Amino acid sequence: TYAAFLAGVHPDDRPAIAAILGAGASRDDRTRYEVEFRYVGHDTGDVRWLRAYGRIAYDGEAPVRVIGTVQDVTEHRAAADRLRAFADSMPQLAWVAAADGRNEFTNRRWTEYTGMPNTGAERSWLGHVHPDDLGRVLAEWRVASASGRPYEVEYRMRRHDGAWRWFLARGIPQRDARGAVTHWFGTCTDVDEAKRLEQALRANEQSLREADRRKDEFLATLAHELRNPLAPIR
C-alpha cells in the first residue's frame, strides 16, 4: 500500500514524496513526476538514494494510481558529493552551466564571493558582471557557444560588498556521443592584482613616452637656438 511504501521513505524526504500527490496541480503536468529520495531497507536498514519517474492517474482530483520506475542512484549521488567536495576545496570560483549558459552548479567559493547561492536561474551569473564588460563577455560567450571552442575572457565581477575585482573565466565544453555540447565546465580565477599591475605598468609606460617626446622637443628647440645664438638677442 501507499502507506507501507511511505513508511520506508527516509523521514526527511517524506514531505517531498507527499507533495507529489498533494500538490500535483502546481506542476505544469500534474500527471508526471520525477523525484529523488532516500529509502530505508526494511531488512538491512541500509539507506539508498532512489530516483523515481512516472505518471499519476486521477479520478477527478483524487490520485488513484501511480505507474513508474525506480532507479538506485546511490553511487551516482556519492560521486556527485565527491565532486562537490573537490570543487569546494578549490581557490577558484568553479561552475557548471547548461549548453545555453544557464547555471547548474557553483561551488562554495562562488557563494562566498558573490554572497548569493546558485539559484539555477537563467544566466544569473550575468548579474555579477561589470556593466562596462557585459557586452564583451556576451560576445565571447556567443562565439564559444556557436563554435563549441573553449571559452576564455577577462572581466570584472562584483563582490558581495560591492567591490569589483578582475577575473579570468575559462570554460571547457562537454559533448554527447553526437558531438553536441551538453554542458560547460569552468572556473573563474582572481587576477585582480596582476590586472591592476599591468594597468599601472601601461600607464607608467605612457608617461615615459610622453616625457621622452617632450625631451625630444626641448632638444630640438635648443639645437635650433644654438645654431643662431644672436636670434634671441635680436
Side-chain angles (χ1 to χ4, degrees):
T1 64
Y2 173 69
F5 159 75
L6 196 62
V9 175
H10 192 284
D12 293 343
D13 298 333
R14 288 173 190 168
I17 298 297
I20 294 176
L21 300 178
S26 66
R27 301 192 300 275
D28 292 337
D29 183 354
R30 68 173 187 164
T31 67
R32 295 182 180 274
Y33 70 91
E34 177 180 342
V35 63
E36 289 190 5
F37 59 95
R38 286 163 292 181
Y39 205 83
V40 183
H42 72 280
D43 52 348
T44 63
D46 292 342
V47 178
R48 308 290 295 180
W49 275 98
L50 306 179
R51 178 182 297 160
Y53 306 86
R55 304 199 66 159
I56 304 169
Y58 288 86
D59 182 5
E61 294 297 321
V64 294
R65 185 179 296 106
V66 179
I67 303 172
T69 62
V70 178
Q71 179 184 6
D72 189 324
V73 293
T74 305
E75 296 304 322
H76 174 78
R77 293 282 303 218
D81 289 343
R82 289 193 294 269
L83 178 60
R84 177 177 289 276
F86 172 72
D88 285 342
S89 70
M90 298 173 60
Q92 291 92 351
L93 282 61
W95 49 269
V96 179
D100 59 1
R102 177 172 39 85
N103 293 67
E104 290 195 343
F105 167 81
T106 50
N107 67 346
R108 183 181 297 124
R109 181 78 177 93
W110 168 277
T111 302
E112 292 172 348
Y113 182 84
T114 63
M116 296 179 62
N118 176 29
T119 61
E122 182 74 14
R123 298 188 182 182
S124 60
W125 58 275
L126 291 175
H128 303 286
V129 179
H130 194 287
D132 294 344
D133 302 332
L134 186 57
R136 179 167 48 83
V137 169
L138 284 174
E140 292 292 339
W141 167 253
R142 292 190 188 101
V143 171
S145 181
S147 64
R149 294 197 299 266
Y151 168 74
E152 182 171 325
V153 63
E154 289 186 354
Y155 60 89
R156 286 161 289 183
M157 186 182 297
R158 186 179 65 249
R159 199 166 58 191
H160 61 84
D161 59 0
W164 296 95
R165 293 185 66 84
W166 282 94
F167 280 82
L168 171 62
R170 288 194 174 106
I172 301 297
Q174 182 186 39
R175 304 175 186 275
D176 61 18
R178 297 174 298 175
V181 175
T182 59
H183 294 84
W184 291 84
F185 293 86
T187 59
C188 295
T189 304
D190 191 323
V191 294
D192 192 75
E193 293 185 5
K195 190 71 174 180
R196 295 186 187 280
L197 178 60
E198 178 186 352
Q199 292 173 341
L201 289 174
R202 287 180 178 176
N204 187 53
E205 181 183 5
Q206 184 64 29
S207 298
L208 290 174
R209 288 179 178 177
E210 181 64 19
D212 192 56
R213 184 186 63 80
R214 292 179 179 179
K215 178 198 67 175
D216 290 344
E217 291 180 352
F218 169 75
L219 291 177
T221 302
L222 180 62
H224 175 75
E225 296 297 341
L226 289 177
R227 283 197 297 270
N228 190 3
L230 295 181
I233 297 177
R234 294 194 187 100

